[in-house]
Amino acid sequence: MTRLVRRQGWVAGLLVLFVVLFVVTKLIQPGYGSGDFGSLVRAVLPYAFAVAAQTIVVIAGGIDLSVGAMMALTSVTAASMMDGASEEYALFVVPFVLAMGLVLGAVNGMLIVVTRVPDIVVTLATLFVLQGAALLVLSAPGGAVAEWLRATIVGTVPIPGLPEISAWIPKALVLLVVCLCIIWIPLKRSKLGLSIYAIGSSELAAFRSGVPVARTKIIAYALSGLFAAMGGLALTMSTGIGAPIPGPYLLASVAAVVLGGVALGGGKGGLLGPIVAVFVLRLVRTDLTLLAIDPNVTAIIEGAIMVAVVMFGAFITMRSRQS
Amino acid sequence: MSTTAIQPVPFGRRLKRFMADRPLIPLIILLVILVVVLQILRPGIVNERWLANTVKFAIPLAILAGCQTMTMLTGGIDLSVGTVATMSAFIMATQVVNHDPAVAILIALVPAVLIGLVNGIGVGVFRVHPLIMTLGTSLIGTGCLQVYQRTVIASGAKIPPFLAWLGTGLTYGVPNALLLFVPIAVLIVFTLNRTGFGRLLYAVGDNEGAARLSGVRYWQVITALYVISSVLAGITGLLYIGLIKAPSLSLAEPLVLPSVAAAVIGGTSIFGGRGGYTGTIIGALILTVLTTLLTILQMPEGARRILFGLIVLFVTAAYLRIIEDR
Amino acid sequence: MTTNPLLDATGVVKTYGAVVALRNASLSVLPGEVHALMGANGAGKSTLVKILTGAIRADAGHILIRGEARNVRSPADARRAGLLPVYQEPSLIPDLDVASNLRLTDTPVEPFRAWVRELGIPDLDIRDIARDIPLAVLRVLDLARALAVEPDVLLLDEMTAALPANLAEKVLEVVRRQGDSGRSVIFISHRFVEISALCDRATVLRDGETVGVVDIEPGVEERIVEMMLGARIEKTRVAARQASQAASPRDSRPRLGVANLRVGTKLNDVSFDLANGEVAGVVALEGQGQDELFAALAGSIRPSGGTIEVDGKPVKFAHPADAIRAGIAYVPGDRTEALTMQRSVRENIALPFSAALRNWGPINMAQERSRVVSAIERLQIDTRAQREVQRLSGGNQQKVTIARWIAAEAQTILCFDPTRGIDVGTKQEIYKLLRELADQGKSVLFYTSELEEVQRVCDRVIVIFGGRVVDVFPVELADEPALMRAAYGLPRGAKEDVGILADIHSSPVAKP
Amino acid sequence: EAKYTIGVSNTVQGNGWREEMICAIKAQALASGEITKLNIAHRNTDAAGQLEDIRNLISAKVNAIVVNPADPAGIKSALEEATKAGIVVVAVDQAVTEPLAYIISNNQEQYAYLGAKWLFQQMGGKGDVVYMRGAAGASADSDRDKGFKKALAEFPDVKVVHEVFTGWQQDQGKQQILDFIATGSPFNGIWTSGIDNVIVDALVESQTPLVPVVGADNAGFVGQLNSVEGLVGAAVTNPGSIGGAGVTLALQILNGKKPAEQTVLVEPQLWENATEEGKAKLKSVADPSLSPEWPVSISIPEWTTYTKDQIIACKGPGE
Ligand SMILES: Nc1ncnc2c1ncn2[C@@H]1O[C@H](COP(=O)(O)OP(=O)(O)OP(=O)(O)O)[C@@H](O)[C@H]1O
Ligand SMILES: Nc1ncnc2c1ncn2[C@@H]1O[C@H](COP(=O)(O)OP(=O)(O)OP(=O)(O)O)[C@@H](O)[C@H]1O
Ligand SMILES: [Mg+2]
Ligand SMILES: [Mg+2]
């Protein structure tokens, strides 16, 4: 029990924080309802995939500066492929783009393994490469998206007889949960998942325990690429276009990873924490808008929240270590 | 049983070992190669004027990369340098309208010291990861700057002539900025190699526990470090505004990632405990020359970026290969 | 004998830049034997083990497993070939719990549990995170994990070095039986007792070269030492310390006074004095509170009660810096805790000079150099690979941790198992050094897991059991049986038999 | 009589033009006296982020939204939701594809065309031009590119000798032009996408013969056109105060005065210093007290009613 609290305490704290923020939102804007919650989830979508992409490599002891650029590239690729194409063609585009993310992620991993240059530098270099590639695909925002794809994140999942509840289950949320779980849960239970934690915790010890370090690292980056590609698709699905300039997803993903209780340095944490952290951060944004806070002050508030939460976490660990 | 005779070491290996012991040499060779490529692509470009320009633009980058080098030695990173430099530049340019330049510069360095102090305390006392800590303070700093700029919209902005002289001027073809940079570089190199504080940076980054057992107080070292880093960033901002002469709210932000890259290309480990400043200076020069190279090449912007990424990766990998004697 | 060797390595070469770790090493292990690999610090034992198990690549050499040349490129390959190592450093993944560590290596859980119990740890929770487990237990878990897959060849690199006597006994017991059941063990240790109790043959390395293979029989120790040390032999002969040599403390006022010291639940009520010019030994089984005692005296953790006096003045340490200012230096048993591995020997030794705020300025290089060099000479540190401490062998690293405080002229040195993993020659040097320090009027508190060292070095013995001082006696009375009894919390003069396999958890409680 | 809440969404922060736009919105809201509260979402983000901001504004139940779109098509879905909820949507600076939204915009294509055409005429219809664009992949940049190419097509003897993206960053622009100057390649004119005063600086510093330069109506550049000896150039207006006009339009619609057309284009003007007439105009619009990154056209006649003091104070209702 105490072990569970110790390991999941941070995530639980974040969930509580989210609920508190939700109540606060309701107080600020009594009309805040299921539709607005749907908007929140749709806003969360690209961030959540970006943060999942980041989480997996951070757990593996790396960092991926190219997530934002990867999302941009996959997004413009999807949008330009679907531009003027038939609705059915999208059935081919989606797997193609996902595979592209997987492969490009694996290339990231291979470059790290082969060149032995630190992750942060390799992914900084691929950040430029992917950005460049995105500009070659589309030199300005454009492209299109299949209608059915767009519809997968609009509206709610109907549950017969329970309209009250189903109003609170946006399709975007279902899509998010399904996409994350389909990869994360089997991974977490497999030996591969353990290996990813192992190389993040101690590469030497992992190598000596017989973990194929290079292969595991490449797979971690490949999965990161896959999540980033989902993020790119989510961008295209919500905007209907592809934009070659990366959005603010890189820094946001790093911040959410840390807020979610994943140690930069690797080996610790899970996916749930960072995802909840994303929800919290997006809801803070909503509240700032609802409160009509001076926009120049919002940057200060967001920065301060980030620093304060992380300091608080550091403070707790310090206290618990002393006792 | 006969011991295997010591065979003569092949030339290739000897050369490699020689380079490994003097990591600056391969780095300088890489730099020269880039310059030669540039000269081949655009014959005549490598002239006195170009050299002066390159040095002028490399200097601010090199000083910020110095901040990264020092923080990276302790296993940290300082992502707030861009914001700090921008803040001090912007504040100086707007304050100098109503104050003496010396006073304006002092006012401009106050936020630098404050941000450094907050970073240092966050990292050193509360043990927040430096990446997050400096990211957070740079967000806060940017926000504060936004608020500040609203109060001075009407006051206009000025660049004190001596900063412009320092930033853009040449004396006998040599950039005046070197007057500022050479002492700073000497000071950083000296600090890292010949002072107790420098030793502690390496020690803390390598094994904090060991440093503690030797009586080192981590928070003191880290706080001092981040304050120094911030002040250097502030000074860079003043120099940069002298060079660019256009105060803007994102003036030095584009230098942040390159400053990290310059330190890494220069052989400083982001995991701490290993590296030095001389390599970083060459790293900054390499990046600056590379930027020129790509500006000069006429190709689509996308291809340009791809090439930039590939070359950075290649240079770093080649350099690591050379100095790693395995 | 006609049996073919299970493992046969010849002409193994490994160089690190200018440092030749292995020049021409060979090793041949027969089925069913426990084979000792011996050599002074830096002889290349660990390097050879790493090569055999695929953790590093050799530059040259032939390795045959059951007569076949197999390409062992990684520890995973080695496992498949039936070779399982326990390296000098723990290999459990720090952030995973024990159960996950087992899964990662495909280790069956039940046999593992059985081995762990057999090795003397009855109450292991396999959901504990490896990081939270003490070093000695981790080593045992590493061994149990290796045993559980029933390897053909088990390679144990200084397995017993970090273990307290009771756990070491169990390990020896178990390893012995491995040989009996037809499997082979390569056993590295600097302790001759263990070698003679356990091994059938020994391969001796010197400076990266195999200089001989001998059968272990009574009296062979002398020959092994000769082979190991070569020319160094003469300098290191130091007889066991005679009781009559014990220096009487010169100063009546104690240098260090500890009264009723308590730390959490581990250390309850410890009181003793340490005089100037005295070496006091601390003897305790694993986990009796000695770690906490040393940490509290070193300023690393805060005591929850009691007082510490230095030179008669009460002190409170909030940080190791405070202890250092009071002239108390701490040498941890685990050298990775004390060294900055990527830095030079010189910087490691000089580190305390720069620690205080007022010493952050320019360094007087000439002065520093002379002090560092004299400390290096005094401890005879092998500085061939001095640009990075991590390239030094384990024993030489250990010396650097002590040299630092010799250079800084600390008045009181707290040595926690300083001879862990050190060869005989170096051990003698360290004993001599500690005595010299005492003769210069310094004081030393010395914890050791090897009881025989007590007689050689200490003036007085402080025995700790269950977080309390259960006995203090002069070195004259400290023969091994007496120490062993005391360590188990038995009163002096008690006649109960303390078997080497006695279970500490059910052993009689100390009488106050 | 103040009764409306207006939401604002903008996706670039820290750039003089956008800051002026926000201040114009605030000043106009205050000057109109009809607005109780402004909800401003003003940060650096992409189209998806703008969708989020617009939806938050819908949640906040504003009466109208003034939006500077990150991309015309990318935010259609949120704008649709807004118009469905009965919120008046006014896009400024760029068009949007949502049919029910109103647009009051600077004509970016025309902006580039006007400046480029003037430049090519100054060059005598032939020679080499340096083309310093904005940010690669931004839609305003590609609109301007169309205008530039249109002008270029009219002058077959003009060649683009060097094309780079400044990313609308002063320091990059300066380094790029200095690098180009160092190559020694001759050039006869420079077209910039608003990173202009550093270009003039670079020419002066490196003692290169001055060539005609086209920029935007930023205070710094306008000052240079008036003061730098031998500089011939033109500033094309691209008023940031369009934001204020957006507020005015939104209020008109809320008050039932719908414009005849969905789209109202504010045509750019060109101020040059090649003629005496132009010089006088430039002298009259120059404003050295402004931040050099701010456009000098701080108001748009007929559309904005605030005073200069009000926009500089940058305070909205209730502040
Ligand atoms: N990574 C390395 N780089 C350079 N030199 C190394 C490296 N690893 C080991 N060496 C050198 O190789 C030699 C043999 O080291 P090794 O660790 O094998 O000794 P050892 O016999 O295990 O000693 P000990 O008993 O002290 O553990 C030493 O001189 C050491 O300095
Ligand atoms: N740069 C240096 N080079 C060589 N030795 C040094 C250097 N700096 C300090 N020392 C020596 O290291 C030891 C520790 O220095 P430190 O000044 O910290 O001692 P201290 O006991 O704290 O001083 P005090 O007793 O004066 O308060 C002293 O013996 C000092 O002489
Ligand atoms: Mg060893
Ligand atoms: Mg002193």
Side-chain angles (χ1 to χ4, degrees):
Chain A
M1 182 60 206
T2 54
R3 183 177 276 126
L4 191 76
V5 169
R6 190 149 28 98
R7 288 193 195 163
Q8 299 296 332
W10 189 251
V11 178
L14 278 175
L15 274 169
V16 171
L17 184 61
F18 178 70
V19 171
V20 169
L21 271 175
F22 199 86
V23 171
V24 168
T25 313
K26 214 50 183 157
L27 289 179
I28 300 170
Q29 187 74 39
Y32 192 88
S34 57
D36 304 294
F37 179 66
S39 302
L40 177 72
V41 177
R42 274 193 278 172
V44 159
L45 212 51
Y47 286 96
F49 286 121
V51 100
Q54 195 65 263
T55 301
I56 198 163
V57 289
V58 170
I59 287 177
I63 192 162
D64 188 352
L65 299 189
S66 70
V67 272
M70 181 83 83
M71 284 166 72
L73 175 59
T74 45
S75 164
V76 290
T77 307
S80 61
M81 281 173 84
M82 286 188 274
D83 198 9
S86 69
E87 288 280 300
E88 297 77 50
Y89 187 60
L91 283 175
F92 163 74
V93 171
V94 171
F96 176 83
V97 167
L98 291 180
M100 178 172 141
L102 197 75
V103 169
L104 289 176
V107 168
N108 254 343
M110 277 183 237
L111 287 174
I112 290 165
V113 168
V114 172
T115 62
R116 281 183 281 158
V117 173
D119 312 51
I120 195 166
V121 184
V122 171
T123 54
L124 180 65
T126 45
L127 172 144
F128 287 107
V129 173
L130 296 177
Q131 239 181 46
L135 279 171
L136 290 183
V137 174
L138 270 186
S139 61
V145 66
E147 268 318 307
W148 66 265
L149 209 49
R150 219 175 168 159
T152 52
I153 59 164
V154 180
T156 58
V157 177
I159 301 176
L162 290 171
E164 292 288 292
I165 294 179
S166 84
W168 285 92
I169 307 179
K171 279 189 198 163
L173 184 63
V174 176
L175 181 79
L176 176 65
V177 171
V178 168
C179 286
L180 294 182
C181 290
I182 225 169
I183 294 170
W184 186 254
I185 290 178
L187 180 69
K188 185 84 203 254
R189 303 203 163 178
S190 70
K191 212 171 122 184
L192 175 65
L194 267 185
S195 304
I196 288 176
Y197 277 87
I199 61 170
S201 182
S202 162
E203 213 173 293
L204 181 67
F207 174 64
R208 289 182 174 178
S209 295
V211 174
V213 175
R215 198 169 73 205
T216 309
K217 195 173 271 184
I218 292 171
I219 293 176
Y221 274 91
L223 290 176
S224 164
L226 179 64
F227 279 130
M230 291 179 181
L233 280 174
L235 280 179
T236 301
M237 277 148 76
S238 58
T239 60
I241 56 156
I245 302 180
Y249 303 105
L250 169 60
L251 292 185
S253 73
V254 176
V257 161
V258 176
L259 286 184
V262 177
L264 286 175
K268 282 189 217 144
L271 186 58
L272 185 60
I275 299 290
V276 178
V278 167
F279 272 88
V280 168
L281 288 174
R282 283 356 286 159
L283 196 54
V284 166
R285 178 90 229 163
T286 304
D287 288 348
L288 290 175
T289 309
L290 292 181
L291 284 170
I293 302 270
D294 180 335
N296 291 327
V297 179
T298 52
I300 304 180
I301 295 177
E302 282 178 325
I305 288 178
M306 201 164 94
V307 170
V309 171
V310 177
M311 271 197 183
F312 174 72
F315 181 70
I316 297 186
T317 28
M318 224 151 47
R319 281 281 297 274
S320 71
R321 204 176 298 145
Q322 269 168 16
S323 66
Chain B
M1 170 186 282
S2 72
T3 48
T4 39
I6 304 291
Q7 306 130 340
V9 186
F11 177 71
R13 263 195 85 87
R14 270 215 323 264
L15 183 70
K16 215 176 147 203
R17 194 172 296 165
F18 175 81
M19 299 254 217
D21 286 343
R22 292 164 194 77
L24 267 192
I25 292 176
L27 213 52
I28 291 173
I29 293 176
L30 285 171
L31 175 62
V32 171
I33 291 176
L34 275 180
V35 174
V36 170
V37 169
L38 185 65
Q39 173 71 13
I40 291 171
L41 290 174
R42 270 296 168 109
I45 182 172
V46 181
N47 53 29
E48 197 179 314
R49 179 189 276 174
W50 175 83
L51 277 176
N53 279 340
T54 305
V55 170
K56 271 194 246 172
F57 278 90
I59 284 174
L61 179 61
I63 305 182
L64 290 189
C67 302
Q68 304 300 355
T69 305
M70 288 193 287
T71 44
M72 274 161 57
L73 285 179
T74 66
I77 192 166
D78 190 349
L79 295 184
S80 67
V81 287
T83 302
V84 170
T86 307
M87 281 178 97
S88 68
F90 192 89
I91 293 174
M92 190 280 305
T94 46
Q95 287 295 324
V96 84
V97 178
N98 301 320
H99 297 285
D100 190 60
V103 177
I105 286 177
L106 282 183
I107 295 176
L109 289 178
V110 169
V113 173
L114 284 181
I115 289 188
L117 207 57
V118 174
N119 281 340
I121 291 173
V123 176
V125 179
F126 288 90
R127 307 294 178 125
V128 178
H129 195 288
L131 196 91
I132 291 298
M133 191 66 215
T134 55
L135 196 64
T137 49
S138 93
L139 272 184
I140 297 175
T142 307
C144 292
L145 189 59
Q146 297 272 353
V147 172
Y148 168 81
Q149 66 98 30
R150 262 183 27 205
T151 66
V152 293
I153 290 167
S155 66
K158 251 178 35 189
I159 314 297
F162 85 91
L163 280 184
W165 176 84
L166 197 62
T168 59
L170 299 178
T171 309
Y172 303 117
V174 178
N176 298 334
L178 284 173
L179 278 180
L180 179 68
F181 179 68
V182 171
I184 287 183
V186 169
L187 198 67
I188 295 180
V189 171
F190 181 80
T191 302
L192 290 183
N193 294 326
R194 291 293 170 93
T195 67
F197 180 64
R199 286 279 176 82
L200 297 188
L201 294 184
Y202 285 100
V204 155
D206 191 317
N207 186 346
E208 190 205 320
R212 187 179 141 89
L213 283 183
S214 298
V216 180
R217 291 178 200 270
Y218 180 75
W219 70 270
Q220 288 180 345
V221 179
I222 294 297
T223 309
L225 166 68
Y226 280 89
V227 170
I228 291 173
S229 168
S230 248
V231 169
L232 276 180
I235 293 173
T236 312
L238 299 177
L239 178 67
Y240 206 46
I241 187 87
L243 173 59
I244 305 298
K245 294 201 218 145
S248 108
L249 294 179
S250 54
L251 181 72
E253 295 293 348
L255 294 183
V256 178
L257 287 185
S259 73
V260 177
V264 176
I265 290 177
T268 299
S269 157
I270 55 156
F271 306 113
R274 198 192 271 267
Y277 189 52
T278 37
T280 302
I281 298 175
I282 313 283
L285 278 168
I286 288 181
L287 282 182
T288 312
V289 173
L290 189 54
T291 313
T292 304
L293 186 69
L294 293 177
T295 306
I296 295 310
L297 286 180
Q298 278 304 311
M299 55 168 75
E301 180 66 14
R304 230 179 244 162
R305 291 196 194 173
I306 292 179
L307 208 57
F308 181 80
L310 290 180
I311 295 178
V312 166
L313 184 60
F314 173 78
V315 168
T316 322
Y319 177 55
L320 279 187
R321 256 308 126 78
I322 291 169
I323 63 165
E324 229 178 42
D325 192 19
R326 290 282 133 80
Chain C
M1 275 205 290
T2 53
T3 38
N4 291 323
L6 200 52
L7 177 70
D8 190 23
T10 46
V12 180
V13 177
K14 176 75 189 175
T15 57
Y16 290 104
V19 179
V20 183
L22 290 178
R23 194 177 304 276
N24 177 17
S26 55
L27 174 67
S28 175
V29 182
L30 300 173
E33 79 169 334
V34 179
H35 193 110
L37 186 55
M38 306 209 60
N41 292 133
K45 305 177 294 294
S46 300
T47 309
L48 184 57
V49 167
K50 286 178 196 158
I51 287 172
L52 291 176
T53 54
I56 53 178
R57 263 338 148 68
D59 299 334
H62 298 282
I63 299 171
L64 301 180
I65 300 173
R66 281 183 223 87
E68 281 172 52
R70 289 195 56 161
N71 199 357
V72 174
R73 289 163 161 269
S74 72
D77 287 343
R79 287 173 78 88
R80 261 165 263 150
L83 264 54
L84 259 190
V86 176
Y87 295 109
Q88 213 167 343
E89 308 81 26
S91 305
L92 258 59
I93 311 292
D95 290 307
L96 293 183
D97 59 11
V98 178
S100 303
N101 266 294
L102 295 179
R103 231 185 108 207
L104 199 61
T105 47
D106 290 321
T107 308
V109 177
E110 273 321 310
F112 170 81
R113 279 187 203 271
W115 281 116
V116 170
R117 271 193 299 271
E118 189 138 343
L119 286 165
I121 300 171
D123 53 358
L124 176 80
D125 184 343
I126 64 163
R127 283 173 311 164
D128 278 343
I129 303 286
R131 198 185 281 291
D132 304 335
I133 298 175
L135 176 71
V137 179
L138 273 185
R139 307 279 301 145
V140 173
L141 297 187
D142 244 342
L143 175 60
R145 187 170 63 160
L147 288 168
V149 294
E150 308 191 345
D152 296 343
V153 183
L154 188 62
L155 300 95
L156 305 180
D157 193 354
E158 303 203 15
M159 176 66 223
T160 52
L163 296 189
N166 56 328
L167 289 178
E169 297 276 4
K170 305 250 170 174
V171 168
L172 297 183
E173 191 78 8
V174 165
V175 170
R176 173 80 264 168
R177 279 194 326 229
Q178 286 289 303
D180 295 344
S181 60
R183 300 201 183 86
S184 309
V185 179
I186 296 173
F187 188 81
I188 298 178
S189 170
H190 290 292
R191 299 178 184 166
F192 278 105
V193 263
E194 295 176 355
I195 303 293
S196 50
L198 202 61
C199 303
D200 305 310
R201 292 195 305 156
T203 293
V204 182
L205 283 177
R206 183 171 75 229
D207 296 337
E209 196 168 347
T210 297
V211 289
V213 182
V214 294
D215 288 327
I216 301 292
E217 55 207 11
V220 79
E221 285 92 340
E222 285 304 309
R223 261 188 69 209
I224 294 182
V225 170
E226 249 163 59
M227 282 195 274
M228 270 168 54
L229 300 181
R232 267 166 72 198
I233 186 88
E234 286 315 314
K235 283 200 281 187
T236 57
R237 239 21 26 180
V238 175
R241 183 175 160 72
Q242 297 302 306
S244 57
Q245 282 176 287
S248 55
R250 299 167 204 186
D251 210 336
S252 52
R253 194 180 63 180
R255 161 74 182 149
L256 189 64
V258 178
N260 310 106
L261 195 68
R262 282 185 290 111
V263 178
T265 54
K266 285 291 185 62
L267 198 64
N268 319 300
D269 194 20
V270 164
S271 309
F272 65 87
D273 286 343
L274 181 65
N276 277 322
E278 179 187 41
V279 179
V282 172
V283 165
L285 301 174
E286 172 67 11
Q288 302 304 309
Q290 66 271 39
D291 306 54
E292 286 75 13
L293 172 65
F294 275 70
L297 293 178
S300 281
I301 55 174
R302 273 185 229 197
S304 43
T307 56
I308 302 172
E309 288 183 3
V310 175
D311 293 332
K313 285 191 281 295
V315 289
K316 285 237 184 306
F317 298 151
H319 188 278
D322 299 334
I324 292 165
R325 182 144 0 101
I328 300 176
Y330 172 54
V331 180
D334 180 0
R335 51 189 166 265
T336 58
E337 276 176 32
L339 296 174
T340 53
M341 289 291 180
Q342 299 173 75
R343 307 311 301 168
S344 66
V345 170
R346 173 180 179 157
E347 277 184 42
N348 268 282
I349 293 178
L351 184 54
F353 303 165
S354 318
L357 204 53
R358 76 184 114 75
N359 295 329
W360 282 11
I363 296 171
N364 179 341
M365 296 306 262
Q367 192 194 356
E368 179 187 282
R369 194 186 148 72
S370 73
R371 294 178 54 150
V372 167
V373 166
S374 82
I376 288 178
E377 278 169 4
R378 191 143 167 210
L379 275 101
Q380 297 187 328
I381 298 173
D382 171 5
T383 50
R384 277 176 309 163
Q386 63 169 314
R387 278 231 320 236
E388 285 183 17
V389 165
Q390 64 186 350
R391 300 187 180 184
L392 261 48
S393 75
N396 280 306
Q397 288 177 2
Q398 190 77 34
K399 288 190 197 169
V400 174
T401 64
I402 302 175
R404 170 186 291 167
W405 298 114
I406 307 283
E409 291 167 3
Q411 177 63 25
T412 302
I413 300 186
L414 312 173
C415 285
F416 196 93
D417 224 0
T419 54
R420 182 185 288 178
I422 289 190
D423 68 55
V424 271
T426 311
K427 267 184 194 162
Q428 304 284 357
E429 286 163 26
I430 287 186
Y431 303 149
K432 219 168 87 195
L433 181 78
L434 295 182
R435 283 313 321 167
E436 269 172 34
L437 290 175
D439 292 341
Q440 289 165 11
K442 311 215 157 159
S443 50
V444 178
L445 191 65
F446 174 72
Y447 166 77
T448 175
S449 52
E450 285 178 58
L451 295 180
E452 52 143 28
E453 291 187 342
V454 169
Q455 288 163 296
R456 299 181 181 230
V457 188
C458 304
D459 297 310
R460 218 154 41 106
V461 186
I462 299 163
V463 183
I464 297 184
F465 181 81
R468 288 168 205 280
V469 174
V470 290
D471 209 349
V472 177
F473 46 86
V475 70
E476 293 85 344
L477 307 179
D479 58 352
E480 268 191 68
L483 287 174
M484 183 60 91
R485 256 190 213 101
Y488 277 98
L490 301 173
R492 220 185 295 176
K495 283 282 168 275
E496 287 100 314
D497 190 27
V498 185
I500 52 168
L501 299 178
D503 186 349
I504 48 165
H505 295 273
S506 57
S507 70
V509 182
K511 304 197 175 83
Chain D
E1 56 142 38
K3 50 197 171 196
Y4 299 120
T5 304
I6 290 194
V8 178
S9 168
N10 174 47
T11 56
V12 178
Q13 196 182 27
N15 153 306
W17 195 95
R18 300 282 182 133
E19 295 301 325
E20 181 179 298
M21 180 189 87
I22 296 290
C23 288
I25 288 173
K26 288 183 168 183
Q28 185 58 34
L30 189 64
S32 74
E34 293 185 66
I35 293 171
T36 40
K37 198 168 86 173
L38 280 175
N39 268 19
I40 305 179
H42 170 48
R43 57 171 175 146
N44 282 314
T45 188
D46 61 346
Q50 189 157 40
L51 288 174
E52 175 186 3
D53 285 343
I54 294 170
R55 291 193 175 117
N56 283 338
L57 292 173
I58 299 173
S59 298
K61 308 219 175 328
V62 295
N63 302 103
I65 294 176
V66 175
V67 52
N68 184 336
D71 178 84
I75 56 171
K76 180 161 189 267
S77 58
L79 294 183
E80 215 171 75
E81 288 163 37
T83 49
K84 241 183 229 153
I87 298 172
V88 171
V89 174
V90 174
V92 297
D93 193 28
Q94 270 191 77
V96 290
T97 55
E98 160 59 25
L100 291 179
Y102 295 86
I103 296 154
I104 178 159
S105 166
N106 296 319
N107 190 338
Q108 299 298 346
E109 193 174 326
Q110 187 63 15
Y111 166 96
Y113 175 73
L114 208 59
K117 188 167 163 190
W118 178 86
L119 179 66
F120 301 156
Q121 280 165 351
Q122 283 298 312
M123 289 161 57
K126 63 176 192 299
D128 295 326
V129 66
V130 177
Y131 180 31
M132 306 202 69
R133 300 178 62 170
S139 60
D141 179 77
S142 65
D143 286 349
R144 287 184 180 182
D145 187 47
K146 283 186 208 124
F148 182 88
K149 294 275 158 66
K150 192 169 120 193
L152 198 61
E154 293 172 16
F155 293 87
D157 291 337
V158 174
K159 275 208 317 287
V160 175
V161 66
H162 189 63
E163 174 177 345
V164 288
F165 288 88
T166 60
W168 281 307
Q169 297 284 354
Q170 310 274 16
D171 58 332
Q172 276 191 38
K174 186 157 186 177
Q175 189 179 356
Q176 286 161 344
I177 191 71
L178 284 173
D179 282 339
F180 181 70
I181 292 171
T183 64
S185 315
F187 56 100
N188 312 98
I190 304 176
W191 185 92
T192 74
S193 188
I195 294 298
D196 35 29
N197 50 341
V198 287
I199 303 300
V200 177
D201 263 339
L203 292 177
V204 173
E205 270 164 31
S206 54
Q207 289 155 358
T208 316
L210 290 171
V211 295
V213 179
V214 169
D217 58 338
N218 301 328
F221 183 58
V222 170
Q224 284 172 331
L225 287 178
N226 283 327
S227 63
V228 174
E229 198 66 34
L231 173 67
V232 177
V236 186
T237 61
N238 180 36
S241 40
I242 193 85
V247 172
T248 305
L249 179 60
L251 285 175
Q252 284 176 3
I253 299 163
L254 285 172
N255 291 333
K257 274 205 299 179
K258 295 205 171 140
E261 299 273 329
Q262 290 290 111
T263 302
V264 184
L265 278 184
V266 176
E267 291 300 327
Q269 298 174 6
L270 184 130
W271 305 329
E272 37 75 38
N273 66 359
T275 63
E276 285 310 315
E277 206 182 322
K279 273 187 190 144
K281 174 75 186 166
L282 273 169
K283 283 262 169 354
S284 71
V285 294
D287 192 346
S289 71
L290 283 181
S291 157
E293 280 204 307
W294 269 42
V296 290
S297 32
I298 49 175
S299 61
I300 303 176
E302 294 167 41
W303 283 106
T304 60
T305 56
Y306 50 77
T307 64
K308 179 179 169 188
D309 287 341
Q310 274 177 320
I311 183 171
I312 280 171
C314 199
K315 286 214 171 10
E319 271 186 61

